Amino acid sequence: MSKKPSIPKGTRDFSPAEVAKRNYIFSIIKSNFEKFGFQPIETPSFENSDTLMGKYGEEGDRLIFKILNSGDYLYKVPAEELQTINYKQLTGKISEKALRYDLTVPFARYVVQHQNEIEFPFKRYQIQPVWRADRPQKGRFREFYQCDADVVGSTSLWQEVELVQLYDSVFSQLGLKGTTIKINNRKILSGIAEVIGASDKLIDFTVALDKLDKIGEVGVKKEMLEKGISEEAIEKIQPLFNFTGTINEKIEKLSNLLSTSDEGKKGVEELQFICETIQELGLQTASLDLDVTLARGLNYYTGAIFEVAAPKEVAMGSIGGGGRYDDLTGIFGLKNMSGVGISFGLDRIALVIEELNLFPETVTATSKAMFINFGDKEALYSMKAIAKLRAENLKVELYPDNTKIGKQFQHADKRGIPFAILVGEEEMSHQEFTLKNLATGEQQKVDLATLVTLLK
């Protein structure tokens, strides 16, 4: 008996309708990337293992999909060694390549490898799938797309300003009004830890602070105490637990709190420039908010940190994020190459647009009209018209089989095709077509020029 087909856990099939919706999002993100001066690159689906391993921490290394060497992948491993070797040692002997875990490390490799051909600052975008051997769950997949835009080779804060505008432009065009672009700075977090005498516990401090909206002030303080942060230190950051007001008011509070930290003051200056510039330039539909608890990618980012929250009426995690990193290419030997970048969460964005019913009705993978097949003579007449309609960028098709008319109409209905076009002896003799609206049943005889106009 044949085995029932299946796909690996954490992967998905996409229907024509789903692909059309994803392509709609891709096209808007891509057009905005290019409008802002970003250039496309692509990197291989798999890299040499040593390019990826050791770049994401121990947890990340565990989630990298390794590819077995082709052929007899065990032939280099002596039989007696197989009895005692541990899995980490064995992996290195039988696998030299791995699937791409993200787009950032391959981008760093690309920049170093092509540094003599690249004109810096280099603005690149990349829209490609990545793979992670994670435990599949709702909203988390083993294969998914990343949509990244990065600038390397410039420390200018104007890049951060433009990235905020890029987020606003994309989400406005997608109809997602009311997104919140949250911003923070790694230097501020480091400065706060320094001021309270807990620089050695920066990670513990920020991880606890990041949970403020989930476990509240009491819960955060309890976790900080458990991590060895003193009550005196926690008392000094009391203003952070009621960190409200306008961006300008928040910046003033931070200036007072961080007056004794050079690192913290630098972070405040950077945030002040970005926020004041955005206030001066204005945003279309998004709002910018200073969120001092934002600590994503703390081991990675060195300056600005971004995270985008969906409109308030949708319960969803972040739909985008990014930040400034001072040494992207250092892992491959090219020092002092600062960069800043953002990413769009395609899958979550699609869920939000679906929930808010914001996909335009025109976003469809189906044809606009289908010609009914009455026989070869009529089909030939139809195909000549179809060629002209397609030249006008109209999606039209001919039902391939000369079968029962009812079956053909049923096929168009199931496909969601809104119009049927009928051609018989009378239509051919008058160089006409009968256009039928399948939703209303209304039909009319038209010439080709009128047909083009009506279908458009």
Side-chain angles (χ1 to χ4, degrees):
M1 199 168 97
S2 61
K3 189 179 177 183
K4 187 179 178 182
S6 63
I7 58 174
K9 286 183 179 177
T11 63
R12 294 163 290 172
D13 289 324
F14 294 105
S15 69
E18 289 168 329
V19 171
K21 289 175 179 177
R22 288 165 67 85
N23 284 343
Y24 165 73
I25 299 171
F26 281 140
S27 67
I28 286 177
I29 293 174
K30 181 181 174 182
S31 67
N32 277 278
F33 281 167
E34 293 180 353
K35 192 162 57 178
F36 278 71
F38 291 87
Q39 297 175 286
I41 69 164
E42 291 190 357
T43 58
S45 299
F46 56 93
E47 297 270 354
N48 292 324
S49 295
D50 55 12
T51 297
L52 303 179
M53 299 298 288
K55 310 303 189 301
Y56 307 100
E58 192 173 328
E59 175 71 4
D61 282 356
R62 190 178 61 78
L63 299 180
I64 291 173
F65 274 110
K66 286 81 175 177
I67 301 172
L68 286 176
N69 294 338
S70 55
D72 185 0
Y73 54 85
L74 281 174
Y75 85 98
K76 286 184 181 177
V77 188
E80 60 275 11
E81 229 179 276
L82 287 173
Q83 307 300 319
T84 57
I85 197 169
N86 67 44
Y87 82 94
K88 285 185 179 178
Q89 294 169 323
L90 180 62
T91 300
K93 290 177 181 288
I94 65 175
S95 172
E96 295 166 1
K97 298 175 185 66
L99 287 177
R100 184 175 54 213
Y101 177 87
D102 72 355
L103 299 179
T104 305
V105 169
F107 174 48
R109 190 264 310 149
Y110 177 94
V111 170
V112 174
Q113 199 169 340
H114 299 274
Q115 58 186 287
N116 295 326
E117 308 151 31
I118 292 172
E119 175 61 30
F120 293 102
F122 179 44
K123 301 175 76 169
R124 90 78 167 88
Y125 78 83
Q126 209 170 337
I127 302 175
Q128 288 186 277
V130 298
W131 295 267
R132 295 183 184 178
D134 213 344
R135 186 169 64 86
Q137 51 188 287
K138 187 180 180 182
R140 181 173 292 178
F141 304 99
R142 288 176 168 174
E143 178 185 63
F144 56 96
Y145 268 81
Q146 287 191 337
C147 310
D148 289 6
D150 292 78
V151 189
V152 291
S154 169
T155 58
S156 170
L157 293 175
W158 286 105
Q159 308 289 5
E160 278 85 340
V161 170
E162 277 221 311
L163 290 173
V164 172
Q165 291 179 313
L166 175 55
Y167 267 140
D168 178 48
S169 181
V170 167
F171 290 124
S172 296
Q173 203 171 331
L174 286 170
L176 287 178
K177 297 176 181 177
T179 56
T180 302
I181 304 166
K182 300 177 184 178
I183 186 171
N184 196 14
N185 194 297
R186 161 66 189 259
K187 296 181 180 74
I188 283 174
L189 293 167
S190 298
I192 294 170
E194 180 188 337
V195 164
I196 66 174
S199 291
D200 60 327
K201 297 187 182 297
L202 173 64
I203 303 296
D204 291 334
F205 160 74
T206 50
V207 166
L209 189 62
D210 195 34
K211 297 176 183 175
L212 185 59
D213 60 339
K214 298 183 186 75
I215 61 176
E217 181 179 339
V218 174
V220 169
K221 287 180 175 178
K222 180 173 180 286
E223 185 168 323
M224 286 183 176
L225 286 168
E226 289 170 355
K227 295 293 183 180
I229 297 170
S230 69
E231 285 190 23
E232 183 186 0
I234 295 170
E235 189 62 34
K236 289 180 181 176
I237 59 164
Q238 184 60 38
L240 299 182
F241 293 112
N242 187 31
F243 201 69
T244 56
T246 65
I247 286 181
N248 292 339
E249 288 168 346
K250 289 178 179 179
I251 286 174
E252 191 175 343
K253 288 179 186 178
L254 284 175
S255 294
N256 295 331
L257 182 64
L258 298 169
S259 59
T260 59
S261 167
D262 290 339
E263 176 88 344
K265 285 192 287 187
K266 177 67 174 166
V268 171
E269 287 170 14
E270 291 181 6
L271 267 185
Q272 191 165 10
F273 175 82
I274 296 165
C275 294
E276 286 182 356
T277 305
I278 290 296
Q279 284 173 341
E280 178 74 20
L281 294 170
L283 295 173
Q284 298 174 58
T285 63
S287 59
L288 185 67
D289 185 37
L290 171 50
D291 183 354
V292 77
T293 69
L294 184 58
R296 61 179 291 139
L298 197 63
N299 291 325
Y300 184 69
Y301 296 125
T302 54
I305 305 169
F306 298 109
E307 188 167 280
V308 184
K312 290 182 174 61
E313 56 266 39
V314 183
M316 182 65 68
S318 67
I319 55 175
R324 165 75 64 174
Y325 38 82
D326 278 342
D327 197 17
L328 170 73
T329 56
I331 50 177
F332 297 116
L334 181 60
K335 297 292 182 185
N336 304 316
M337 183 64 73
S338 184
V340 60
I342 58 173
S343 186
F344 290 82
L346 172 75
D347 293 299
R348 285 184 174 179
I349 291 169
L351 289 171
V352 171
I353 295 175
E354 192 75 67
E355 191 167 328
L356 294 175
N357 197 28
L358 292 173
F359 280 112
E361 288 183 15
T362 53
V363 176
T364 173
T366 196
S367 296
K368 191 71 182 280
M370 187 184 82
F371 281 75
I372 301 298
N373 191 331
F374 285 96
D376 288 345
K377 189 169 56 171
E378 292 85 353
L380 181 61
Y381 178 90
S382 298
M383 286 299 284
K384 288 176 181 177
I386 285 171
K388 291 173 182 173
L389 291 168
R390 287 174 178 166
E392 296 287 338
N393 289 320
L394 287 164
K395 297 179 185 175
V396 291
E397 61 183 274
L398 170 73
Y399 190 83
D401 302 309
N402 179 12
T403 186
K404 290 180 181 177
I405 306 304
K407 183 180 179 182
Q408 297 187 45
F409 277 121
Q410 193 177 47
H411 176 78
D413 185 53
K414 286 181 177 177
R415 290 267 311 279
I417 297 173
F419 294 99
I421 300 169
L422 298 85
V423 173
E425 289 287 350
E426 187 180 340
E427 285 85 1
M428 288 192 293
S429 65
H430 291 96
Q431 291 292 298
E432 288 181 333
F433 305 86
T434 295
L435 178 67
K436 182 171 183 175
N437 185 318
L438 295 178
T440 64
E442 181 188 349
Q443 60 184 52
Q444 56 185 309
K445 281 190 168 62
V446 295
D447 60 19
L448 185 61
T450 307
L451 184 60
V452 169
T453 304
L454 291 172
L455 290 179
K456 280 190 171 181

